[in-house]
Amino acid sequence: ALAQNPDVAAAAPNYLRQIQFSPNDPLYRYQWHYPQINLPQAWDLTTGAGVIVAVIDTGIVLSHPDLQGQWVAGYDFISDPANALDGDGIDRDPSDPGDRSNPDGSSSFHGTHVAGTVAAATNNGIGVVGVAFGAKVMPLRAVGQLGGSIYDIEQAVRFAAGLPNDSGTVPPRRADVINLSLGSTYFDSEDQAVFDLARAAGVV
């Protein structure tokens, strides 16, 4: 009725605007790429709560302070002990002992970096911010000092999707998403077949 009054220039509800979520993690200000993908706006809608993201990589540093409470049980699928650097083949321990991949002999801890990007604990006053900090990471170790074999990666994908695999077990709940920050120039039809099975199981 007000808008139809010729003496009123404009009439609309006087909505309240809220400030966007702004984490208190000290290194967030260096994560310049997050605003570029509109994360502050996305966080007002969702933080990924209830989602499990399988990170198939070098494993994670399980004691990392920004990953405490952010992961569910995973698995180590590196079958070659010489590649694993942890003294054995596949086992239930997805911790990353390091890959000594840098020229100075230090390690990349690539899986920890990726897991932190996915779901680092956020607004806890330490470290960095995770993209989907309400989600949980399922750390699956398939990449070692020499890289990750196609076969080991496929086994990790199968595990993440709740499909039969060499571990003889599956997680209590399959992953919703599988992250593979890996690559090569080689296409393998068996890879594609396993990815198709994972997709058919409902995994992104």
Side-chain angles (χ1 to χ4, degrees):
L2 282 173
Q4 292 173 359
N5 186 325
D7 296 326
V8 175
N14 187 18
Y15 291 112
L16 292 174
R17 302 269 188 214
Q18 304 294 330
I19 58 171
Q20 293 174 332
F21 176 71
S22 182
N24 64 15
D25 307 72
L27 301 179
Y28 173 57
R29 62 191 177 116
Y30 297 111
Q31 293 176 286
W32 56 268
H33 49 301
Y34 282 7
Q36 290 192 349
I37 59 172
N38 296 321
L39 270 184
Q41 295 92 325
W43 286 329
D44 288 338
L45 301 174
T46 181
T47 62
V51 173
I52 295 177
V53 180
V55 174
I56 300 176
D57 211 291
T58 65
I60 65 171
V61 176
L62 300 177
S63 62
H64 194 291
D66 244 354
L67 293 177
Q68 296 311 295
Q70 296 301 105
W71 55 276
V72 298
Y75 216 91
D76 177 355
F77 283 97
I78 302 177
S79 55
D80 180 0
N83 188 26
L85 296 181
D86 63 358
D88 56 25
I90 72 170
D91 60 46
R92 294 183 179 275
D93 182 5
S95 60
D96 185 352
D99 55 17
R100 303 178 195 145
S101 63
N102 296 325
D104 64 359
S106 63
S107 297
S108 69
F109 295 106
H110 188 264
T112 301
H113 170 77
V114 173
T117 299
V118 172
T122 297
N123 211 37
N124 61 350
I126 61 169
V128 296
V129 172
V131 170
F133 54 86
K136 301 290 185 194
V137 167
M138 178 190 293
L140 297 176
R141 189 164 185 254
V143 181
Q145 183 180 37
L146 308 174
S149 76
I150 289 172
Y151 184 81
D152 291 351
I153 293 167
E154 288 172 358
Q155 294 305 305
V157 169
R158 295 178 69 88
F159 179 92
L163 301 170
N165 62 83
D166 284 355
S167 75
T169 185
V170 293
R173 182 183 145 202
R174 68 159 172 79
D176 301 290
V177 177
I178 295 175
N179 181 91
L180 286 158
S181 295
L182 312 171
S184 74
T185 57
Y186 177 72
F187 172 79
D188 184 86
S189 60
E190 288 302 311
D191 261 358
Q192 188 61 56
V194 171
F195 297 153
D196 291 345
L197 288 172
R199 289 294 298 273
V203 182
V204 176

